[in-house]
């Protein structure tokens, strides 16, 4: 079966109509290649909006109860898929935190295996980070407490168990977090949860005809990162959302194991990016396509006032100017009478310029892969992750330049815990306005070098480390990770 052709040349984006490539052993797959086409094999389902969890206040602390559990999901009507989730069968609630608040997260592990829960993007004490050192044994509860020191942003949380992160995230142990602050509130951005402010976890999975969604990476998957042939938005296949306002804000998370998405709309319409990983940009940036690597978030605002349906799509680049639709993630279906939204402000966050001269120290990180044809050896600075080795000790309150170099022939999204950094340059060239905001994950293309400006304030701990790693989860699990302390 061939992919459905989509007419896409509007507004000078040339979107190809090439047939989609064959994927895996067709007999075992639930969908044929047409799954990937614009209509996801004709399936349409209302977009699942995760429950918004605001916790309960107790003596000035916002308290959340999270239960990591086994479950059964019905991604396809009539088919039972064993999954894992948080307070539910697959993925977890969207938690909302206020800047400067104290939060306590009571995380109970109801699985029959160990797990962890990491708060991706947050500046917090190492003991609260939820990385590989904060293992939660089956039947026990881990209750970290920390202060929210972020700007208004879209964060997320996910399993980070040593060697098992990929498998547990694939099964569904992940969720999203919204941080709010006064600066953002004053901007009157679309912010009615589930109406004009929508969290969207983008993922892909493979489901077999018996309903199972096994984590069974091949050698190729271990090398390239595990990918599936079915796009999901918040766990929904063929998601459709009924838009009721002229502007909608989509909080996009790439929650995939190994897929780097190239995001745009099926009709080639542009959108405005308003936030990167750690918060709002200085001003909205108009874009037509945007790369989003595993771990990264981007908030975008889409103008629906023309009343036309459009589909949030992952494209494959055929050439500089030609894109071919690969995954149809979410169809936006505007209603007849759209409520007019406030116009987007021309200025968003106040962001101090990133100044390289502030750095007093430079550290280098070289990402590499060896043994392409065998089991990959994934390294940072020539070594693989070892739980017993602290690779770097970083002085507190010190601005540093981290020079990143991707010496391999694959792209790697490099993520640093406990901080929001700024990108100084890529291959010596300044980055565009869409990359000038706060970041915790940076995509490095093959052979690329980038410099980032980092700073770690307080929370010193000479013994307990934070992680830096590739966010392609198969690479992370295969050792492309290191540990640093703040001292
Ligand atoms: Cu999103 Cu070390 O993690
Ligand atoms: Cu993280
Ligand atoms: Cu990688």
């Amino acid at each position: 079966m061939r992919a459905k052709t989509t007419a896409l040349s509007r507004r000078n984006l040339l979107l190809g109509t090439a047939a989609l490539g064959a994927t895996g052993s067709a007999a075992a797959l639930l969908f044929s290649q047409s799954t990937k086409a614009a209509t996801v094999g004709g399936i349409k389902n209302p977009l699942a909006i995760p429950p918004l969890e605001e916790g309960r206040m107790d003596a000035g602390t916002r308290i959340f109860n999270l239960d990591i559990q086994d479950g059964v999901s019905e991604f396809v009507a009539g088919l039972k898929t064993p999954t894992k989730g948080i307070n539910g069968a697959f993925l977890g609630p969207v938690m909302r935190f206020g800047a400067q608040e104290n939060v306590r997260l009571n995380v109970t592990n109801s699985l029959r295996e160990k797990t962890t829960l990491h708060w991706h993007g947050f500046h917090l004490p190492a003991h609260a980070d939820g990385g590989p050192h904060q293992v939660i044994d089956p039947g026990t509860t881990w209750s970290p407490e920390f202060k929210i020191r972020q700007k208004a942003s879209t964060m997320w949380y996910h399993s980070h168990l040593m060697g098992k992160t990929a498998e547990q995230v694939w099964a569904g142990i992940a969720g999203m977090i919204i941080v709010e602050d006064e600066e953002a509130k004053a901007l009157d951005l679309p912010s009615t949860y589930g109406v004009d402010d929508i969290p969207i976890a983008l993922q892909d999975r493979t489901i077999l005809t018996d309903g199972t969604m096994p984590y069974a990476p091949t050698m190729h998957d271990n090398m390239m990162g595990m990918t599936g042939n079915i796009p999901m938005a918040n766990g929904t296949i063929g998601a459709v959302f009924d838009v009721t306002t002229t502007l909608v804000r989509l909080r996009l998370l790439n929650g995939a194991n190994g897929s780097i998405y190239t995001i745009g709309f099926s009709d080639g319409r542009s959108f405005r990016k308003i936030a990167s990983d750690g918060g709002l940009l200085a001003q909205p940036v108009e874009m037509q396509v945007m790369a989003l690597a595993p771990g990264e978030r981007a908030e975008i605002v889409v103008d629906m006032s023309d009343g036309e349906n459009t589909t949030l799509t992952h494209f494959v680049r055929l050439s500089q100017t030609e894109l071919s639709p690969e995954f149809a993630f979410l169809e936006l279906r505007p209603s007849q009478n759209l409520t007019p939204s406030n116009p987007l402000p021309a200025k968003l966050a106040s962001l101090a310029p990133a100044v390289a001269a502030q750095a007093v120290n430079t550290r280098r990180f070289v990402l590499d892969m060896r043994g392409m044809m065998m089991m990959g050896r994934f390294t940072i600075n020539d070594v693989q992750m070892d739980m017993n080795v602290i690779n770097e000790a970083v002085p507190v309150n010190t601005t540093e330049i981290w020079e990143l170099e991707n010496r391999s022939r694959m792209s790697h999204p490099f993520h640093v815990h406990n901080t929001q950094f700024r990108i100084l340059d890529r291959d010596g060239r300044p980055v565009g306005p869409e990359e000038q905001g706060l970041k915790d994950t940076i995509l490095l293309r093959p052979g690329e070098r980038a410099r980032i400006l980092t700073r770690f304030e307080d929370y010193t701990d000479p013994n307990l480390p934070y992680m830096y790693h590739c966010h392609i989860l198969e690479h992370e699990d295969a050792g492309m990770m290191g540990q640093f302390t703040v001292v």
Side-chain angles (χ1 to χ4, degrees):
M1 223 169 140
R2 301 225 134 192
K4 216 181 152 196
T5 301
T6 331
L8 296 168
S9 39
R10 186 145 74 107
R11 292 168 223 178
N12 72 52
L13 186 63
L14 294 175
L15 301 167
T17 55
L20 298 157
T23 50
S25 48
L29 300 176
L30 177 63
F31 295 100
S32 69
Q33 298 103 344
S34 67
T35 301
K36 296 166 137 194
T39 58
V40 197
I43 293 174
K44 293 202 181 193
N45 288 303
L47 172 72
I49 310 265
L52 180 65
E53 187 54 73
E54 302 198 80
R56 74 185 153 85
M57 289 304 286
D58 182 19
T61 298
R62 197 176 280 281
I63 300 173
F64 296 84
N65 295 323
L66 300 175
D67 183 24
I68 308 179
Q69 54 194 252
D70 285 297
V72 176
S73 299
E74 203 171 316
F75 297 116
V76 179
L79 261 194
K80 302 255 177 282
T81 304
T83 49
K84 290 179 168 56
I86 301 117
N87 298 355
F90 184 69
L91 303 179
V94 170
M95 292 189 284
R96 191 149 70 185
F97 299 163
Q100 304 309 317
E101 283 179 351
N102 291 310
V103 298
R104 174 155 72 240
L105 302 132
N106 298 315
V107 186
T108 300
N109 178 3
S110 298
L111 306 172
R112 278 155 303 177
E113 60 193 272
K114 294 177 192 296
T115 190
T116 83
L117 216 50
H118 164 59
W119 322 108
H120 179 127
F122 287 89
H123 174 43
L124 38 55
H127 61 78
D129 190 40
H133 294 273
Q134 286 83 47
V135 174
I136 316 170
D137 283 320
T140 66
T141 299
W142 174 62
S143 297
E145 262 187 66
F146 55 96
K147 184 172 178 181
I148 305 305
R149 304 185 58 185
Q150 312 308 133
K151 300 242 245 177
S153 51
T154 303
M155 302 291 186
W156 69 304
Y157 57 100
H158 60 81
S159 156
H160 212 307
L161 188 66
M162 184 67 190
K164 292 271 182 193
T165 298
E167 179 177 343
Q168 293 195 341
V169 171
W170 181 267
I173 305 180
M176 295 177 71
I177 297 173
I178 294 173
V179 178
E180 289 193 319
D181 69 9
E182 295 307 319
E183 184 188 28
K185 272 186 195 156
L187 294 172
D188 274 331
L189 298 168
S191 53
T192 308
Y193 185 81
V195 175
D196 62 4
D197 183 355
I198 328 284
I200 302 172
L202 303 172
Q203 297 176 312
D204 50 72
R205 296 289 185 269
T206 301
I207 299 176
L208 306 185
T209 43
D210 65 359
T212 60
M213 189 176 79
Y215 184 73
T218 61
M219 212 98 101
H220 179 268
D221 294 327
N222 281 324
M223 190 63 68
M224 307 304 291
M226 180 77 164
T227 57
N229 68 329
I230 304 171
M232 289 184 179
N234 297 339
T236 307
I237 302 174
V240 178
F241 180 74
D242 291 316
V243 174
T244 58
T245 53
T246 53
L247 297 182
V248 276
R249 175 191 196 172
L250 306 179
R251 297 173 183 263
L252 305 177
L253 158 71
N254 183 335
N257 280 43
S259 299
I260 297 164
Y261 298 131
T262 302
I263 296 294
F265 286 91
S266 53
D267 58 0
R269 78 175 60 201
S270 63
F271 53 87
R272 280 168 290 175
K273 180 174 175 180
I274 60 166
S276 55
D277 301 333
L280 294 167
L281 300 173
Q283 70 279 318
V285 180
E286 184 160 355
M287 303 181 78
Q288 211 172 12
V289 281
M290 164 183 79
L292 199 66
E296 285 188 304
R297 287 86 65 213
E299 294 179 24
I300 65 171
V301 171
V302 194
D303 189 337
M304 301 299 294
S305 53
D306 65 359
E308 301 284 340
N309 292 14
T310 189
T311 300
L312 183 77
T313 302
H314 155 52
F315 296 93
V316 168
R317 222 173 247 290
L318 302 177
S319 70
Q320 269 299 80
T321 51
E322 269 185 303
L323 299 172
S324 167
E326 178 82 351
F327 285 158
F329 275 116
L330 172 65
E331 184 178 341
L332 297 177
R333 211 163 47 184
S335 66
Q336 287 290 328
N337 294 301
L338 295 173
T339 307
S341 308
N342 296 323
L344 261 195
K347 277 198 162 50
L348 298 169
S350 50
L351 277 175
V355 181
Q358 287 169 353
V360 297
N361 186 26
T362 298
R363 237 169 259 274
R364 270 176 66 71
F365 297 86
V366 177
L367 286 72
D368 208 349
M369 300 162 66
R370 301 282 165 76
M372 294 299 284
M373 296 329 281
M374 305 163 298
M375 284 304 284
R377 206 175 97 84
F378 294 86
T379 58
I380 299 177
N381 292 344
D382 278 324
V383 294
Q384 288 177 291
M385 167 73 177
D386 180 338
M387 289 278 282
N388 300 311
V389 174
I390 308 279
N391 304 88
E392 307 283 335
V394 182
V396 71
N397 285 320
T398 306
T399 302
E400 296 193 333
I401 293 173
W402 286 21
E403 278 184 9
L404 315 174
E405 179 183 351
N406 177 1
R407 223 175 255 170
S408 78
R409 270 177 274 169
M410 267 194 73
S411 294
H412 302 282
F414 185 81
H415 168 52
V416 186
H417 286 209
N418 188 36
T419 192
Q420 291 292 330
F421 56 76
R422 305 288 289 278
I423 305 177
L424 288 171
D425 45 38
R426 290 177 175 277
D427 289 331
R429 285 184 293 275
V431 294
E434 74 283 0
E435 284 207 302
Q436 287 176 16
L438 297 167
K439 295 284 295 166
D440 56 54
T441 306
I442 172 174
L443 179 59
L444 298 166
R445 300 288 186 184
E448 192 175 26
R449 291 163 185 256
R451 294 194 310 155
I452 61 175
L453 199 65
T454 64
R455 185 180 171 86
F456 301 92
E457 292 174 351
D458 54 49
Y459 302 139
T460 57
D461 188 329
N463 300 313
L464 207 49
Y466 301 95
M467 307 293 133
Y468 52 84
H469 58 89
C470 175
H471 221 290
I472 290 178
L473 302 179
E474 284 68 27
H475 295 178
E476 172 189 333
D477 281 348
M480 196 175 255
M481 176 155 68
Q483 312 197 87
F484 70 99
T485 49
V486 176
V487 294

